[in-house]
Amino acid sequence: MPGPRILLVEDEASIAEPFARLLAREGFEATIAPTAAAAVERFDRDRPDLVLLDLNLPDGDGRDVARELRTRSRVPIIMLTARGTETDRVVGLEIGADDYVVKPFSSAEVVARIRAVLRRSAERPAEDGAPPEPIIVRELTIDPAARRVRLGDAEVELSRKEYDLLLELAANAGRVVTREDLMARVWDENWFGSTKTLDVHVGWLRRKLHDDAAEPRWIETVRGVGFRFAAPDGDGSP
Ligand code: CA
């Protein structure tokens, strides 16, 4: 069975080549990208399981590469850098890097970090239960990884509950979700009592999606049962 694929983005051959050989001995499949441009190209081609990313590249900043990769996936990223100030560390982690190693590093230390980050990332979907893939219904896109919603070209600003409600409805697009299930999943699993808060939030969500309860494009009320979100194929009314 092939080992995890590692993309090593590093322009200094004296570091990259011996380290790639060491990774191979440790059971990883390592490929080297010596520039920022090559990193993005290789990433799209190889879809590695983890990226080791040098901060200083001849054609750009590793942090820009990290941002670019984050628009494509949640791939674990470990930043490699000669700089070790607290500011760099914070910036690296803020843009979505998973860990940070300061050069000169010991190979054993980096291999241990790689294994730890891969382990965490394998556990992540079970921890937060959020699917990393965007949910797309017609011109509406929900990105659960970033908790962002776009309607056409416009970003939709939602409160936490509005977002949770939309995600629950859209994940079941085309199917009725009962009021009880929505209350239980979005509010509290031990909920019982009034569902007025649900109607209030559906109302707010409709307004933000420019929807009309009387002639719904997105959220249809199924009287006495619950709500149905528009079917993904957009064949007429929801
Ligand atoms: Ca470098």
Side-chain angles (χ1 to χ4, degrees):
M1 213 178 98
R5 295 186 305 274
I6 310 284
L7 176 61
L8 173 55
V9 184
E10 170 62 73
D11 56 306
E12 287 161 69
S14 64
I15 294 175
E17 284 165 15
F19 194 55
R21 284 197 296 274
L22 178 129
L23 287 173
R25 284 200 302 277
E26 294 285 335
F28 299 101
E29 280 189 59
T31 48
I32 299 169
T35 63
V40 175
E41 195 186 299
R42 289 252 161 163
F43 180 83
D44 286 340
R45 198 189 66 193
D46 298 345
R47 288 282 151 176
D49 299 301
L50 183 143
V51 179
L52 286 171
L53 183 55
D54 183 25
L55 192 61
N56 300 304
L57 295 164
D59 60 337
D61 190 310
R63 287 170 295 200
D64 293 329
V65 176
R67 281 191 201 95
E68 187 65 35
L69 297 183
R70 273 288 164 270
T71 66
R72 293 161 154 77
S73 88
R74 293 174 78 194
V75 65
I77 298 172
I78 299 179
M79 306 287 283
L80 305 174
T81 182
R83 301 185 220 153
T85 70
E86 199 59 31
T87 311
D88 283 335
R89 185 183 174 83
V90 168
V91 167
L93 297 179
E94 266 179 1
I95 57 167
D98 296 84
D99 205 348
Y100 195 88
V101 180
V102 179
K103 292 181 191 173
F105 51 77
S106 93
S107 304
E109 185 198 348
V110 179
V111 168
R113 300 268 189 109
I114 290 171
R115 293 197 199 284
V117 168
L118 283 174
R119 203 162 45 234
R120 283 208 302 273
S121 119
E123 288 164 0
R124 192 157 50 192
E127 275 173 10
D128 61 21
E133 293 81 20
I135 295 171
I136 300 167
V137 182
R138 302 180 192 166
E139 70 268 32
L140 183 78
T141 303
I142 305 170
D143 178 3
R147 288 182 73 91
R148 290 176 70 176
V149 177
R150 296 187 72 79
L151 184 58
D153 292 331
E155 179 108 20
V156 184
E157 301 286 346
L158 298 177
S159 73
R160 189 181 173 83
K161 285 296 180 200
E162 289 164 355
Y163 173 86
D164 290 344
L165 180 61
L166 175 62
L167 187 64
E168 196 59 43
L169 288 168
N172 295 287
R175 297 193 294 272
V176 178
V177 185
T178 66
R179 301 175 68 88
E180 289 72 23
D181 281 351
L182 287 169
M183 287 307 297
R185 292 179 203 155
V186 177
W187 275 269
D188 184 340
E189 55 188 17
N190 298 313
W191 163 86
F192 61 96
S194 163
T195 58
K196 185 158 174 45
T197 186
L198 172 59
D199 295 290
V200 170
H201 279 79
V202 167
W204 288 338
L205 198 48
R206 276 185 172 133
R207 201 172 316 153
K208 291 186 179 179
L209 297 176
H210 314 296
D211 204 7
D212 179 355
E215 272 187 72
R217 280 204 71 230
W218 294 108
I219 304 171
E220 180 194 3
T221 303
V222 182
R223 199 174 290 276
V225 182
F227 298 93
R228 178 164 46 216
F229 202 73
D233 50 16
D235 57 346
S237 63

